[in-house]
Amino acid sequence: MRIAALGALLLTRCGTACDTSDEQAAGVKDTCNAAAYQALIGENGEAGASLPDPKRIYQIGDPVTLDYNPERLNIKLDETGKIVEIDCG
């Protein structure tokens, strides 16, 4: 019961500031044109620097702000610096 209440609280607190990659996979509108850049997955992270602003490039596990900007590209890198995901937020 406590775990369910905690989960509900976290989901409520999360609001629009949470990661939306699941929403995008479910067919949510591509507000930042991330689909156009999926070919860069597997490339060196420096390839993401040429993408249009607003964008943020970060390694998975790095601290990032929780503000949600549907126009911003999120370029996520693995521990080797390769692009593993590009989405909006």
Side-chain angles (χ1 to χ4, degrees):
M1 178 80 163
R2 284 183 164 192
I3 292 174
L6 178 59
L9 176 64
L10 290 174
L11 287 174
T12 302
R13 178 149 165 52
C14 185
T16 59
C18 293
D19 184 19
T20 60
S21 56
D22 290 343
E23 292 175 20
Q24 293 212 353
V28 172
K29 198 172 188 181
D30 184 9
T31 55
C32 68
N33 202 23
Y37 306 111
Q38 296 304 302
L40 292 176
I41 292 178
E43 297 292 324
N44 190 300
E46 293 174 3
S50 65
L51 297 181
D53 289 326
K55 67 177 171 267
R56 65 177 165 190
I57 303 172
Y58 63 95
Q59 192 170 27
I60 294 176
D62 284 351
V64 294
T65 60
L66 292 179
D67 63 313
Y68 179 74
N69 179 350
E71 303 299 318
R72 179 176 51 212
L73 284 167
N74 288 314
I75 302 140
K76 301 173 190 173
L77 311 177
D78 67 9
E79 63 279 349
T80 67
K82 301 286 184 196
I83 298 173
V84 294
E85 186 175 355
I86 300 175
D87 61 12
C88 301

